Amino acid sequence: EQLKRETIKKEFSDIEDYLSSLKLKVTIFEDDDTMIDRMSQMTQKTNQFNLTTKRYTERDILKFIEDNGSDVFAFSVSDKFGDYGITGLSIITSNANKEKYEIDTLLMSCRVIGRNIEYAFLDFIIEKIKKRKIPNLKARYIKTSKNEQVRDFFDNCSFVLIDEKEKVRNYILDVKKYNRKKYDYIKVVYD
């Protein structure tokens, strides 16, 4: 499947045309306890596209799923050549009063990097938050030796840098001011 993708990619001079030709589909799952082992595995192994690089056991993931103040979103990706499987995860947490929400974890497998899927996924998450009338969303980037490529991800997604200390950048998003990326060639399905 990957060889077919690389072969057809050579036929396009514009990356957006190539991505459009793939017929990308992102299926998002919420609090799905059948995926706990895969979600835990991704936190343990994903380094390049991982904003905080927090490592969680299966038991930790289950606690997030069972916690009314947390949301666990995972996604799978497929295209006209096949299925990449479960390749992304985000954990959103809130305080006891459900007044402050934060992206605890946001990661994506390197198998799907370069397809703008991270933006479609974040668009979905922000829409869910808007529907809950949550005004602000906090986020954090923690630098590691392997995740430099996502250093400016939140900057590129309407988040405002609050402060930066050594390897940690803290952000806040005014949810009403979020600008969707709107990649029309990515079909998002909520399962």
Side-chain angles (χ1 to χ4, degrees):
E1 292 171 359
Q2 189 58 26
L3 184 60
K4 289 177 185 176
R5 289 181 189 104
E6 291 303 316
T7 301
I8 198 167
K9 186 176 183 179
K10 294 173 186 173
E11 297 174 14
F12 294 90
S13 59
D14 181 73
I15 189 70
E16 297 294 314
D17 290 340
Y18 164 67
L19 293 174
S20 182
S21 79
L22 290 177
K23 299 186 179 357
L24 290 160
K25 178 181 171 187
V26 176
T27 304
I28 299 175
F29 307 89
E30 184 175 0
D31 294 333
D32 189 330
D33 61 4
T34 66
M35 300 176 183
I36 289 175
D37 58 337
R38 175 63 180 143
M39 290 187 277
S40 172
Q41 181 187 61
M42 286 190 298
T43 69
Q44 299 294 327
K45 295 184 176 186
T46 305
N47 295 306
Q48 292 177 32
F49 195 104
N50 191 335
L51 279 295
T52 57
T53 318
K54 293 181 179 181
R55 310 300 188 187
Y56 291 122
T57 64
E58 291 179 21
R59 184 180 208 150
D60 296 329
I61 299 293
L62 180 60
K63 284 181 185 177
F64 282 120
I65 289 173
E66 291 176 341
D67 180 4
N68 289 334
S70 299
D71 294 297
V72 179
F73 298 103
F75 68 80
S76 66
V77 177
S78 61
D79 64 20
K80 68 181 182 181
F81 296 111
D83 193 337
Y84 294 92
I86 302 300
T87 50
L89 173 69
S90 182
I91 299 171
I92 311 295
T93 59
S94 67
N95 64 354
N97 301 342
K98 293 190 178 183
E99 296 168 342
K100 296 178 182 175
Y101 283 77
E102 182 173 351
I103 298 175
D104 174 88
T105 300
L106 180 59
L107 61 83
M108 187 174 74
S109 170
C110 60
R111 290 184 291 183
V112 294
I113 288 177
R115 289 164 174 72
N116 295 317
I117 290 162
E118 62 271 26
Y119 298 110
F121 186 44
L122 188 61
D123 286 351
F124 172 85
I125 291 169
I126 300 302
E127 282 304 310
K128 291 284 281 186
I129 288 179
K130 276 183 182 176
K131 287 178 183 173
R132 295 179 186 166
K133 309 271 191 255
I134 297 165
N136 298 303
L137 178 63
K138 290 185 174 184
R140 176 173 292 137
Y141 164 75
I142 302 172
K143 181 181 179 181
T144 69
S145 61
K146 297 181 180 178
N147 74 350
E148 182 68 25
Q149 75 178 32
V150 295
R151 181 181 187 274
D152 298 324
F153 177 74
F154 289 124
D155 299 277
N156 296 330
C157 295
S158 310
F159 284 76
V160 175
L161 182 65
I162 301 170
D163 63 61
E164 183 172 5
K165 296 176 185 160
E166 294 188 28
K167 296 182 177 188
V168 179
R169 301 176 89 191
N170 290 298
Y171 293 89
I172 193 158
L173 171 69
D174 179 337
V175 175
K176 292 178 188 172
K177 293 182 180 178
Y178 178 72
N179 292 320
R180 293 183 59 135
K181 296 292 184 183
K182 296 181 187 175
Y183 290 103
D184 295 333
Y185 52 80
I186 301 173
K187 179 180 180 183
V188 176
V189 177
Y190 178 53
D191 190 47

